[in-house]
Amino acid sequence: MPGICGIVASSLSTQELGQAIAAMQQRMEPADWQVLCQWAGTSQAVGVGLGSVALAETAQRHPRLAVDPSGQQALILDGELFETEKLAAALSAGGRPVSADDHAGLLLAGCQQQGASFLRRVQGSFAAAWWDGAAGRLTLMTDRLGT
C-alpha cells in the first residue's frame, strides 16, 4: 500500500523540512518500496513538506508531484485519475493548458480553478495532499471509495 506523508511547521527551514520528510519516508519504506518524490517550501512563515513512497514495481507512469510556477502551491498524488482527456480538455478551455498524462498537474490545476468542487468531477483511485501557500491551507483528498 503506497503512502503520502507531510509536515507543517513554522520553525523549520526548507532544508530541515526536506530532512524531516526524508526521515518519514524512510520509516514508511519497506525493502521493496522506493521514495517517489519529495517537495518542501515555505510561505507566510509556515513550512510544508510532502513526500510519497510506493512499491518499486509500481513506479508511477504519471507525475506524482505538481508545483505551480509561483512555488506557492504544490500537490502530491498517490494513485491515478481516470478519464483524464476530458479533465484536461475542460481545464484547457478554462485557460489552463495541462497534459492528460500529468495526473498531479490535472488535480492541481482543477483545484486552483474550481476549488474543492473540482473533486466532484474527478474519477480514479487516488489520495492526494494539496498545499496552498497563499491561503495557508493543506487539503487532503481521496477518491470516492477512500482508496
Side-chain angles (χ1 to χ4, degrees), residues 1-6 20-35 51-55 78:
M1 175 165 57
I4 293 175
C5 60
I21 289 298
M24 286 182 206
Q25 288 174 306
Q26 185 177 23
R27 289 183 195 104
M28 292 170 51
E29 184 183 0
D32 55 350
W33 286 37
Q34 66 182 14
V35 171
S52 176
V53 297
L55 287 169
D78 178 56

Side-chain angles (χ1 to χ4, degrees), residues 39 42-44 67-74 112 130-135:
W39 176 83
T42 57
S43 63
Q44 296 186 7
V67 180
D68 82 332
S70 74
Q72 290 292 305
Q73 296 192 25
Q112 287 176 316
W130 169 34
W131 171 247
D132 181 347

Side-chain angles (χ1 to χ4, degrees), residues 23-116:
M24 286 182 206
Q25 288 174 306
Q26 185 177 23
R27 289 183 195 104
M28 292 170 51
E29 184 183 0
D32 55 350
W33 286 37
Q34 66 182 14
V35 171
L36 295 174
C37 57
Q38 184 185 89
W39 176 83
T42 57
S43 63
Q44 296 186 7
V46 175
V48 175
L50 302 172
S52 176
V53 297
L55 287 169
E57 65 213 36
T58 61
Q60 191 64 292
R61 297 176 303 272
H62 310 288
R64 290 179 166 253
L65 177 66
V67 180
D68 82 332
S70 74
Q72 290 292 305
Q73 296 192 25
L75 184 138
I76 194 162
L77 170 71
D78 178 56
E80 64 181 329
L81 308 182
F82 307 145
E83 300 181 356
T84 56
E85 292 79 14
K86 289 181 185 178
L87 291 173
L91 291 169
S92 293
R96 172 81 186 260
V98 62
S99 167
D101 292 329
D102 183 359
H103 293 198
L106 280 169
L107 265 183
L108 179 59
C111 289
Q112 287 176 316
Q113 278 186 13
Q114 301 170 20

